[in-house]
């Protein structure tokens, strides 16, 4: 039953290319339990460690402020090829140039899967979107669906919060 579904959401977001910053703020108050950052820009290892540490502190403070039981874990900055795709039941790739498959279509499939606990990853591209070659590689993974949110293009900083809200509502987690 759809009201029995419980989804564990993981945001997989690209660094903002111009600033090397991560849009943690919108995700810290969403329903995410884990947060990976894709390495789109070139950063030194020390800079990566400092950023992850800072983002974890931001996530902890925000989780406490919003009364969350779970503090999102900010994982290390990774290359998309190092992502463990098999750890997820479904990965939704938000792509502004997708024309056929909507997020609504995929949510219906998730609801009809008859699984009670799902691990869902959400890949969010950088400003300007993901590269077409990256999208084609992602489409080859069996648990990946490239989806559109419709004609509206959302900012990298806000799309995670919007999608987590949509999933929470559709999967019955806003009771």
């Amino acid at each position: 039953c759809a009201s029995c579904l419980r989804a564990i959401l993981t945001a997989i977001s690209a660094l903002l290319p111009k600033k090397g910053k991560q849009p943690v703020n919108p995700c810290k108050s969403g329903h995410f339990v884990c947060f990976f950052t894709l390495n789109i820009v070139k950063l030194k290892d020390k800079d990566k460690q400092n950023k992850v540490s800072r983002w974890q502190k931001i996530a902890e403070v925000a989780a406490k402020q919003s009364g969350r039981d779970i503090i999102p874990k900010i994982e290390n900055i990774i290359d998309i090829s190092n992502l463990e795709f098999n750890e997820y039941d479904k990965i939704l790739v938000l792509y502004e140039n997708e024309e056929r498959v909507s997020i609504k279509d995929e949510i219906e499939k998730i609801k009809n899967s008859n699984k009670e606990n799902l691990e869902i990853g959400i890949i969010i591209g950088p400003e300007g979107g993901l590269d077409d070659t990256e999208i084609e590689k992602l489409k080859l993974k069996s648990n990946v669906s490239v989806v559109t949110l419709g004609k509206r293009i959302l900012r990298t900083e806000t799309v995670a919060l919007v999608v987590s809200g949509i999933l929470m509502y559709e999967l019955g987690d806003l009771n």
Side-chain angles (χ1 to χ4, degrees):
C1 71
S3 62
C4 299
L5 284 174
R6 289 294 171 257
I8 298 170
L9 305 179
T10 299
I12 306 161
S13 179
L15 284 167
L16 300 177
K18 294 178 184 165
K19 307 165 194 127
K21 292 183 179 177
Q22 172 55 274
V24 173
N25 288 347
C27 300
K28 64 190 180 192
S29 56
H31 193 63
F32 295 101
V33 296
C34 188
F35 203 92
F36 283 98
T37 304
L38 301 177
N39 192 21
I40 303 293
V41 297
K42 302 293 181 208
L43 290 175
K44 296 176 186 169
D45 285 340
K46 182 181 176 188
D47 292 338
K48 289 179 187 178
Q49 292 168 349
N50 290 341
K51 286 184 181 299
V52 169
S53 176
R54 182 174 170 275
W55 297 333
Q56 186 63 54
K57 289 175 188 168
I58 291 169
E60 289 170 9
V61 169
K64 289 175 185 171
Q65 285 176 341
S66 60
R68 289 190 59 184
D69 293 338
I70 298 171
I71 296 173
K73 172 124 176 62
I74 310 299
E75 296 287 350
N76 289 324
I77 297 172
I78 61 168
D79 185 278
I80 197 164
S81 62
N82 294 332
L83 184 64
E84 296 291 334
F85 289 91
N86 59 346
E87 292 182 6
Y88 300 93
D89 295 301
K90 177 58 89 177
I91 295 177
L92 301 175
V93 179
L94 309 176
Y95 184 51
E96 68 276 5
N97 292 329
E98 175 58 42
E99 295 178 353
R100 294 183 313 240
V101 182
S102 73
I103 192 167
K104 185 175 182 176
D105 297 335
E106 287 304 313
I107 289 172
E108 284 305 312
K109 289 179 187 175
I110 290 168
K111 288 162 79 172
N112 293 329
S113 71
N114 294 324
K115 279 190 89 173
E116 290 185 17
N117 295 304
L118 296 166
E119 296 268 349
I120 300 174
I122 299 161
I123 295 183
I124 302 162
E127 294 171 5
L130 292 165
D131 185 284
D132 290 340
T133 56
E134 291 172 317
I135 292 295
E136 291 308 313
K137 286 180 189 174
L138 289 167
K139 284 182 176 180
L140 298 175
K141 306 288 183 184
S142 63
N143 61 339
V144 171
S145 293
V146 178
V147 301
T148 180
L149 293 175
K151 295 183 186 213
R152 185 176 308 265
I153 295 181
L154 301 173
R155 294 177 58 99
T156 298
E157 295 92 341
T158 57
V159 72
L161 186 57
V162 169
V163 171
S164 70
I166 290 169
L167 287 167
M168 289 167 56
Y169 175 80
E170 287 293 328
L171 300 179
D173 205 11
L174 285 177
N175 298 341

